Amino acid sequence: NMSELKPKIVLSRRDGADWTRKGLRPFLEYRDLGLAEATEGRIGGTIGRAIKKFEPGGGAPRHTHNTSFHLIFVMRGWFRTEFEGLGEVMVRAGDCIAYQGEIPQEHIEYSDDFEVMQIASPADYRTDNIAT
């Protein structure tokens, strides 16, 4: 019941933010935006940025996330990706992908300056690789 939720607010500042390599992809470092803390885990949000140059085979193999909602917003650079139902696309700064359900996807290539904001529900979700 939404009316029983205790108000909670979290401010996440860019300056002095903690970046960690504890995240799904070894080619990104992550900054937690505090969404999980603010929503008791109902929603999570991070910014990921490339920490190494792309090497062939260095993307993310075909996989699904068991999210009820997932938003991918490219803040800087670009990445080439493929989603079932969307096909292969180049996603550039300012572009956004949003979906619900477990959609097979593969992230193929990214730019040196790639930076992405991801928001998902729930905050803690599973990723399953798909055998190809």
Side-chain angles (χ1 to χ4, degrees):
N1 184 337
M2 293 299 278
S3 63
E4 293 171 8
L5 294 178
K6 283 189 176 157
K8 180 152 189 187
I9 187 163
V10 174
L11 171 64
S12 174
R13 291 200 186 274
R14 182 181 63 186
D15 291 349
D18 285 332
W19 290 86
T20 176
R21 295 190 180 194
K22 287 187 191 124
L24 194 54
R25 304 295 168 205
F27 53 86
L28 298 177
E29 64 178 0
Y30 296 89
R31 172 185 157 204
D32 182 3
L33 294 175
L35 274 63
E37 183 186 349
T39 64
E40 297 177 336
R42 288 184 304 280
I43 300 168
T46 61
I47 294 174
R49 63 185 180 192
I51 51 173
K52 57 190 231 179
K53 284 192 178 298
F54 176 77
E55 298 162 357
R62 199 154 182 81
H63 62 282
T64 59
H65 303 297
N66 70 332
T67 53
S68 60
F69 172 75
H70 192 185
L71 178 143
I72 301 165
F73 181 85
V74 178
M75 298 172 64
R76 291 182 64 203
W78 55 264
F79 79 120
R80 193 157 55 94
T81 188
E82 185 267 325
F83 282 77
E84 195 168 282
L86 185 63
E88 186 175 310
V89 290
M90 183 75 82
V91 189
R92 296 183 172 84
D95 294 347
C96 184
I97 295 174
Y99 67 90
Q100 65 178 8
E102 298 189 33
I103 297 185
Q105 57 195 269
E106 180 175 358
H107 310 315
I108 302 161
E109 187 182 3
Y110 57 88
S111 62
D112 291 346
D113 62 345
F114 178 57
E115 195 167 308
V116 62
M117 178 172 56
Q118 297 193 72
I119 296 172
S121 180
D124 190 15
Y125 58 85
R126 194 180 69 247
T127 298
D128 294 313
N129 285 338
I130 300 170
T132 50

